[in-house]
Structure formats: structure tokens, C-alpha cells
Amino acid sequence: MLSVASLHIHPVKSLGGFAVQGAKLTDRGFEHDRRWMLVDADARFITQRECSALTCMHCAPLTDGFRVTDVRDGSVTEVPWSLASGAASRASVFSDTVDVLHAPVEVSAWFADQLGIVCSLAYMPDASVRPTDPAYVNARTSLSDGYPYLIVSQASVDDLNARLNPSERIAMDRFRPNIVVAGGEAYQEDGWRAVMIGGTRFSLVKPCGRCIITTTDQTTGERGKEPLRTLASYRSVGNKVLFGMNAVAPDQGIVRVGDLVHPQA
């Protein structure tokens, strides 16, 4: 029997997220997931790929927003879940360009001071629409890498860790999933075309190509060669290393930890 082991929301792209017991679906992913991102002076998105210190910025939910804590020194700032107004601009996420609203200058200044870079915190309002790659599916997503949901089986991470040296074993947070599935076999998600979770059908549309973020400790920002080196030895297809599945779902509903997961091949 398969079930939802955990659910995860990352309010700011590439910052530490948090687990929830239940998550509401929207037209672009879980509510509050990856609606904020940091952008540079050229309004281009910033991630752990070029700034590993983002791993030290951990988000935790509050009533009307969330707190970001820099675990290196305990400094904090608070951010609302959404913005109704603010300085508007266009910003880029990979090859996409989206409309964003910028956070108050004091909030952006906190991030710039803590990270030692020129940056601004930007929000994706509901009116800003970012489509997924139509070659795979016609849907919307937030400021994620490309799709609204990422599904990973705990058995897949367990199998990977069994291949690693004990000192190099990793936590699930290296893969930054939205939905973690308990039970079943390693890499079972590769063969799923869809899953029913709590009455909601998630369509699995594309394997997730992994990058250097998987080699980055999600607390310290330190980087090594694992698990990407080991994954490349048995999970490579062409020039991609695949782990987990990108998914889309309807724009309403709620999923909860413990919901049964029914695969559809």
C-alpha cells in the first residue's frame, strides 16, 4: 500500500522549505509554493546553483506569511504570503519572463546584506501567468524550475543511499520535492503515468533532470560530488541524470499526509 509520507512547500525559490500536514492545490502548484524568488540587478532569478548560501535561508510558516531565518547567525526577516502592490517589473526564470512585484526595500536589503550580493525579493502575483513546456503538457506553474509538482518515492532515496558510503548519505531535502510517497519499490514513479491522491489525479509528465543542487548540503551550503556522481552511473539518459517525476494536477483540491496513493500506469 502506498501513501503520502510528507508534503513540502518552498515559499521562496531555492530557499529552505517546510513540511505541512495538508496542502491546497492552485492553478500553479501548492498554495504558497515558489511564489517568491530572489533576482539580481538584471532581474534574473538567483538559485543555489550560483549562490549556495541560499541553503542557509530557512522558511517557516506564520499566520499571515512566513519567517526566513539565516541559520548561520540567527538573523530573521518576515515576508507576507502575497503582495497586492509594489514596484512592478519583468523578471526571468530560465528562458521564461514573468511579471513580478518587488518586496519592500528593507526586506530585499536584508537578503542582500546576509548574502553579500545585489538582489531583490520578487513575488509572482496571480495575474502573472507562466506556462509549462507545451511539448510535455499545457499547464501553468509558479517560479519552480518548470512544473508545478515534483513527486519522489522514499524508496528511491533509500536505494540511492544504499549505494553511497555511509558518510555521504543524504536527506530527501536535496531533491526538494512537493510530494514524498511511502511504500513500494525504488523508482516506481518512473513507470507511473498518473496517481490518484486523496481524490485528485496527478499526471506525471516528465522525469526530473537533476543538477548541482543535489550535491549541496541544505543546511550549510557545502558541496561535494554526491549523490550526482553515483546517480550518473545508473540514472543517466542522454546528458541528463533523472530522479523523481514532474507532475501537474487540477487547480483545486487538498492532499494530506497519509492519503493513499493509487498509481495509474
Side-chain angles (χ1 to χ4, degrees):
M1 185 176 295
L2 308 179
S3 63
V4 175
S6 59
L7 300 167
H8 303 269
I9 291 174
H10 303 84
V12 184
K13 183 176 181 65
S14 237
L15 268 62
F18 53 84
V20 295
Q21 289 299 301
K24 179 181 177 182
L25 281 65
T26 75
D27 66 341
R28 63 198 72 191
F30 283 152
E31 184 178 35
H32 307 315
D33 188 60
R34 295 172 172 94
R35 296 299 294 267
W36 293 87
M37 67 178 175
L38 290 166
V39 297
D40 63 18
D42 296 319
R44 180 167 177 76
F45 75 124
I46 300 170
T47 72
Q48 294 178 27
R49 296 171 180 86
E50 57 277 346
C51 183
S52 63
L54 294 185
T55 63
C56 300
M57 305 288 179
H58 292 193
C59 299
L62 302 171
T63 302
D64 298 319
F66 57 97
R67 176 184 294 114
V68 182
T69 302
D70 188 335
V71 298
R72 296 172 298 180
D73 63 3
S75 180
V76 301
T77 191
E78 294 185 2
V79 183
W81 289 127
S82 63
L83 283 183
S85 62
S89 75
R90 301 276 281 167
S92 62
V93 186
F94 293 106
S95 60
D96 297 330
T97 303
V98 296
D99 293 312
V100 298
L101 298 174
H102 290 262
V105 292
E106 62 272 17
V107 175
S108 291
W110 182 87
F111 282 97
D113 290 344
Q114 293 296 121
L115 296 168
I117 60 175
V118 175
C119 64
S120 176
L121 184 65
Y123 173 73
M124 181 188 197
D126 288 345
S128 183
V129 175
R130 181 180 173 223
T132 57
D133 186 342
Y136 294 94
V137 66
N138 288 309
R140 294 180 179 182
T141 190
S142 60
L143 300 171
S144 64
D145 276 3
Y147 298 87
Y149 301 100
L150 177 63
I151 299 176
V152 176
S153 290
Q154 182 63 52
S156 302
V157 175
D158 293 344
D159 179 82
L160 168 61
N161 276 329
R163 300 167 186 262
L164 298 173
N165 293 325
S167 63
E168 295 175 317
R169 290 173 183 168
I170 61 169
M172 178 64 75
D173 61 6
R174 293 283 188 102
F175 299 104
R176 304 177 63 78
N178 296 110
I179 302 172
V180 178
V181 176
E185 301 177 352
Y187 317 110
Q188 59 195 340
E189 57 269 35
D190 293 349
W192 295 344
R193 296 187 61 186
V195 290
M196 291 294 297
I197 304 176
T200 298
R201 186 178 190 271
F202 289 78
S203 298
L204 282 65
V205 296
K206 182 180 181 292
C208 185
R210 311 313 306 215
C211 68
I212 195 173
I213 289 177
T214 63
T215 71
T216 310
D217 186 293
Q218 294 297 297
T219 299
T220 66
E222 294 179 359
R223 285 196 171 125
K225 294 185 177 181
E226 297 293 3
L228 209 53
R229 179 172 58 184
T230 294
L231 280 173
S233 71
Y234 72 105
R235 295 289 300 175
S236 292
V237 176
N239 63 347
K240 299 286 187 180
V241 176
L242 306 180
F243 194 92
M245 291 292 291
N246 292 298
V248 299
D251 61 2
Q252 57 185 343
I254 295 175
V255 295
R256 296 179 175 85
V257 172
D259 281 347
L260 297 183
V261 177
H262 301 284
Q264 299 178 346

